[in-house]
Amino acid sequence: STIIVAQKYTHKFSQNNITFKAKEKQVLILENIVSWINKNTKENEKILMFPEFSTPLLMTNRQSDYMLYALHDINIDILGKDYIRKRVLDNNIKYIIDTSPYNSYLYNAKSYKIVNEGKFIETTFKDEFKKIHQINIKNYKIKIYKKVSL
């Protein structure tokens, strides 16, 4: 059994021998993301958590491209949008889950300027990924995109 603790916790959520302990809002976000992944994706489909948040992937036995584990502003600047775009398309990523509202809640919102504006995915993958769902938890909007057939 693995336990992941985020800050001081008041709530917990467990699945697949992994327990996540955090504040209520964080646990609600995780529960909803995990539930959506379990209901709407297959285990062999790759999911990119953007800019980061690997816990849902661990809890649902889903894979990602771990080269793109943390796409913070500085990493986007270093890798470049063209490299990120090519890597996502070449590695058969089927879904992108935009967790930037969650990440801006956890960390300094200024460090998420690019991703938190919500324009990175729409501009970088405007033809390849379309928004298919949105999870709303206490003013946080987690957007889910699916790769479209071209």
Side-chain angles (χ1 to χ4, degrees):
S1 180
T2 302
I3 298 176
I4 300 169
V5 179
Q7 302 173 348
K8 294 180 182 177
Y9 66 90
T10 57
H11 291 71
K12 68 180 181 177
F13 172 63
S14 297
Q15 184 168 315
N16 291 342
N17 292 318
I18 299 171
T19 300
F20 182 79
K21 297 180 178 183
K23 294 179 181 177
E24 178 185 21
K25 189 182 324 181
Q26 293 168 273
V27 171
L28 286 172
I29 290 169
L30 176 64
E31 285 177 331
N32 279 271
I33 292 171
V34 166
S35 175
W36 189 90
I37 290 171
N38 281 330
K39 290 177 186 174
N40 298 285
T41 69
K42 298 174 186 170
E43 279 195 29
N44 64 341
E45 294 176 325
K46 290 185 180 179
I47 301 169
L48 176 66
M49 303 300 294
F50 181 83
E52 68 171 319
F53 190 28
S54 61
T55 306
L57 300 178
L58 296 171
M59 290 183 145
T60 59
N61 293 320
R62 299 308 193 272
Q63 296 296 312
S64 188
D65 179 351
Y66 289 103
M67 176 67 183
L68 301 177
Y69 164 71
L71 290 172
H72 304 273
D73 293 1
I74 190 165
N75 293 345
I76 291 171
D77 289 344
I78 291 169
L79 296 172
K81 285 185 180 184
D82 291 337
Y83 174 81
I84 294 167
R85 183 176 183 283
K86 183 175 179 356
R87 180 110 188 160
V88 166
L89 297 176
D90 289 350
N91 283 285
N92 201 28
I93 301 293
K94 186 155 186 177
Y95 297 93
I96 300 174
I97 300 179
D98 182 357
T99 62
S100 54
Y102 171 83
N103 286 281
S104 65
Y105 162 72
L106 287 179
Y107 309 109
N108 179 350
K110 291 179 184 175
S111 70
Y112 286 89
K113 182 181 177 201
I114 292 173
V115 297
N116 206 24
E117 288 175 352
K119 296 178 183 173
F120 181 83
I121 296 169
E122 287 88 352
T123 58
T124 307
F125 303 103
K126 65 181 177 180
D127 296 323
E128 295 85 11
F129 284 84
K130 298 295 179 203
K131 182 179 156 191
I132 60 164
H133 187 70
Q134 183 168 296
I135 297 170
N136 298 308
I137 302 289
K138 297 188 176 196
N139 299 323
Y140 292 92
K141 294 172 176 58
I142 306 299
K143 297 176 185 174
I144 301 173
Y145 300 84
K146 184 176 181 180
K147 189 173 187 179
V148 294
S149 299
L150 298 177

